[in-house]
Amino acid sequence: MRKNTAKRMILLCIIGTFGMGRTVLAEGQLSYADLENYNFCFTSGVGSWSTELEVNEDGTFQGNYHDTDMGDSGEEYPNGTMYVSDFSGKFTDLEAVNNYTYIAQIEYIQCEEAPGTTEISDGMRIIYSEPYGMDHAENILFYTKGAPAAELSQGYLDWVRTLPGTIDENGQLAFPGIYNEVAQEGFFSTEKEVTEASASGIDEELKQTAARASVLESRLGTEQDLTVMTQLSNELFLVWDDQLNSMWQRIKTRLPAADMERLRDEELDWIAEKEAAVTAAGANAETSMRTLIENGKAAAVTRDRVYVLAEYLR
């Protein structure tokens, strides 16, 4: 479980200022516009902690980091501790290293709440933190979809190779990736299905997501190999988690500030409840089965939350 000590106490957490006078990329090379239709995620399991990131055409980005530790409790916060960071920033211009690797730095990054700030909400301690995965950054590497896995950083592969579908049958990266080189922290990505949703559009979007989930559920129902089952259950969770994260980013741009603040508090409560439910689901399971069961519970709880949040996009 990641614990972020959040050493800096300023709202604008500047990591570096770079990028003056960089060369514009030649036609055909990777640009930030190529990354705009992907959701990036840094995680290592069923979502006990994760950092979600979206990159915009102009190199700006926004994201969220959260981690929950139900065991870190006290008299004033019996429901545990949550680490949270809502952040935004900007990358410098991309520079090509080779045909499948590009490099940039973080021009600036800022957190909505000052890292280190603490509050108690509904019996839970909230610690506002620096964004895990984007912290202590110097060089940020961008890998193109189709990059040969054998030539990627081992530190990056150590983070993403355990996820299903990371490397395709040709030994190539199956998605664009982002790697914080110094901190050795790697993001995988999934393609956004829909960038904008109308009242009818969100229903069609959810229909497509449910169809993808149904395929995975069918495979789980017939699979006999426990390792494959566990991988499929993790992929099922990610289908719903990606959908939730995509919807959340859109909701943030639509709700008035006061309504968004109330929904944000509700979302923090939901994350804590989800983590507690996942932990409880696997508590009495055999070690070999625990991850499979926890994945299934995380997928089901996240799916239910997706349909709740969908109401805000109708």
Side-chain angles (χ1 to χ4, degrees):
M1 177 87 53
R2 164 75 174 179
K3 290 190 173 62
N4 193 317
T5 55
K7 297 179 181 178
R8 290 198 292 272
M9 298 291 291
I10 54 176
L11 179 60
L12 184 63
C13 41
I14 301 296
I15 290 182
T17 54
F18 307 91
M20 302 300 293
R22 292 185 178 273
T23 303
V24 176
L25 290 172
E27 184 177 355
Q29 292 187 304
L30 182 72
S31 70
Y32 290 121
D34 299 317
L35 306 178
E36 194 172 25
N37 290 326
Y38 288 87
N39 292 310
F40 291 87
C41 183
F42 174 47
T43 187
S44 67
V46 299
S48 60
W49 65 264
S50 67
T51 301
E52 287 82 33
L53 177 70
E54 291 189 339
V55 180
N56 305 313
E57 184 176 2
D58 60 356
T60 58
F61 59 82
Q62 58 280 332
N64 167 268
Y65 157 69
H66 72 268
D67 181 18
T68 305
D69 188 347
M70 306 301 291
D72 186 0
S73 59
E75 184 175 346
E76 295 183 350
Y77 49 100
N79 296 329
T81 297
M82 178 179 292
Y83 300 85
V84 176
S85 179
D86 290 303
F87 60 92
S88 59
K90 190 176 190 301
F91 294 117
T92 62
D93 292 339
L94 287 166
E95 293 184 337
V97 176
N98 52 44
N99 289 336
Y100 50 83
T101 305
Y102 294 77
I103 192 169
Q105 289 78 40
I106 296 179
E107 185 172 318
Y108 69 85
I109 185 169
Q110 59 190 18
C111 308
E112 289 187 11
E113 301 286 346
T117 303
T118 301
E119 65 178 71
I120 306 295
S121 175
D122 295 329
M124 172 169 283
R125 179 173 61 168
I126 309 298
I127 299 178
Y128 294 102
S129 308
E130 296 182 16
Y132 187 27
M134 303 296 286
D135 52 340
H136 309 295
E138 293 182 13
N139 290 330
I140 302 293
L141 299 181
F142 296 80
Y143 297 127
T144 62
K145 181 179 180 180
E151 299 183 36
L152 301 183
S153 167
Q154 185 61 45
Y156 179 74
L157 292 175
D158 287 344
W159 278 108
V160 305
R161 72 181 353 155
T162 58
L163 300 170
T166 297
I167 308 301
D168 65 20
E169 63 275 11
N170 297 316
Q172 298 175 333
L173 191 64
F175 46 72
I178 296 178
Y179 182 49
N180 181 344
E181 188 176 36
V182 170
Q184 297 187 344
E185 296 162 349
F187 290 73
F188 72 95
S189 68
T190 56
E191 193 167 3
K192 298 177 183 177
E193 291 296 322
V194 179
T195 57
E196 293 293 337
S198 63
S200 60
I202 186 61
D203 293 320
E204 180 61 30
E205 182 178 341
L206 293 178
K207 182 178 179 181
Q208 294 174 7
T209 300
R212 295 198 305 276
S214 180
V215 170
L216 292 168
E217 289 166 353
S218 296
R219 292 176 62 190
L220 271 166
T222 58
E223 181 59 54
Q224 300 294 318
D225 186 279
L226 180 59
T227 299
V228 176
M229 292 173 68
T230 301
Q231 291 176 339
L232 289 170
S233 68
N234 184 61
E235 190 170 348
L236 177 62
F237 162 72
L238 291 175
V239 164
W240 290 112
D241 192 52
D242 288 344
Q243 178 66 56
L244 185 146
N245 291 326
S246 174
M247 292 166 57
W248 183 254
Q249 293 301 325
R250 282 175 270 162
I251 291 169
K252 287 168 65 175
T253 68
R254 297 185 180 199
L255 282 187
D259 292 341
M260 191 64 223
E261 183 64 24
R262 284 192 293 271
L263 182 59
R264 182 175 173 277
D265 290 341
E266 178 185 308
E267 191 72 3
L268 292 176
D269 291 340
W270 173 79
I271 290 172
E273 291 169 2
K274 184 197 76 171
E275 300 307 330
V278 168
T279 300
N284 298 319
E286 295 181 9
T287 302
S288 61
M289 295 288 292
R290 184 171 300 148
T291 300
L292 173 63
I293 293 171
E294 290 179 344
N295 284 348
K297 187 63 175 181
V301 174
T302 305
R303 176 199 62 211
D304 292 345
R305 184 61 177 169
V306 160
Y307 285 100
V308 172
L309 292 182
E311 293 301 321
Y312 292 90
L313 295 174
R314 289 192 172 103

